[in-house]
Amino acid sequence: MANAASMREEAETIAVKALGFVAADPELLPRFLAITGIEAHSIRQAAGEPGFLAGVLQFILAHEPTLMRFAAETGTPPASVGRALRALPLGDDDHEHSI
């Protein structure tokens, strides 16, 4: 079984591939920017923020045709995208709730 550090590294690699995939697509990039509220010139800065890479994977996972195209174009198994999401900061399903 892979250790947490190697799982995180693999997750980051998948997320960076996903970011490149989104950034290179003239239809996906504007949609990603609109949904996230990030300005195009701020992507590099935003990429350093906790949760950004998880957000990229959430964007890919939210639309099955996009997920399948990403998987096909990058050779990434679709199931590994979900696993990668859960391995990244702020990518798990364990959300804190206010009382």
Side-chain angles (χ1 to χ4, degrees), residues 15-16 19 22 27 35-36 46 61 66 69 73-74 80 91-92 96:
V16 169
L19 178 57
V22 170
E27 292 181 19
I35 289 170
T36 61
L61 287 164
T66 300
R69 192 163 54 92
E73 289 183 20
T74 63
S80 69
D92 61 15
E96 291 185 34

Side-chain angles (χ1 to χ4, degrees), residues 1-2 12 28 39 44 47 59 67-68 72 77 88:
M1 174 151 59
E12 288 174 353
L28 288 179
E39 300 282 335
R44 265 187 214 270
F59 177 79
L67 170 63
M68 299 313 289
L88 292 171

Side-chain angles (χ1 to χ4, degrees), residues 4 6-16 18 53-58 61 70 76-92:
S6 67
M7 288 175 57
R8 168 102 180 249
E9 185 175 318
E10 182 179 340
E12 288 174 353
T13 299
I14 291 171
V16 169
L53 291 177
V56 173
L57 294 182
Q58 288 169 339
L61 287 164
F70 169 72
T76 305
S80 69
V81 178
R83 284 192 302 272
L85 172 62
R86 290 185 296 279
L88 292 171
L90 304 177
D92 61 15

